[in-house]
Amino acid sequence: SKGLPQEELVQAIQIACQSILFQGSATDELLDALTVEQKKQVIVVASMQEAVSRATECAQLGDTVLLAPGAAS
């Protein structure tokens, strides 16, 4: 993640996300930045295929599913 600040991402998660799926090297750093309440929304996955599958399970009609990097590689 190159040690970049996570504050803006954490604020956006608080405002806009019902579920958060993490995959990749920045997972631990992002989890550390979240509040206890935000962590209740977190699902850690091992692959993009699993992320898509789990997002399909979490999403309801009308929801937006956004697949985006959370950190610089």
Side-chain angles (χ1 to χ4, degrees):
S1 73
K2 299 187 179 186
L4 298 172
Q6 303 294 337
E7 293 83 14
E8 289 183 31
L9 178 59
V10 170
Q11 288 175 343
I13 287 170
Q14 185 175 11
I15 293 167
C17 296
Q18 294 176 9
S19 298
I20 310 150
L21 291 93
F22 284 142
Q23 184 254 329
S25 60
T27 296
D28 290 337
E29 184 179 341
L30 289 167
L31 284 172
D32 288 344
L34 296 176
T35 66
V36 172
E37 190 63 31
Q38 289 169 321
K39 287 180 185 178
K40 293 178 183 175
Q41 304 165 312
V42 172
I43 301 167
V44 178
V45 296
S47 67
M48 184 57 72
Q49 182 177 358
E50 183 183 1
V52 171
S53 176
R54 296 295 298 270
T56 301
E57 294 170 6
C58 294
Q60 298 178 8
L61 185 62
D63 285 350
T64 298
V65 175
L66 173 65
L67 302 173
S73 57

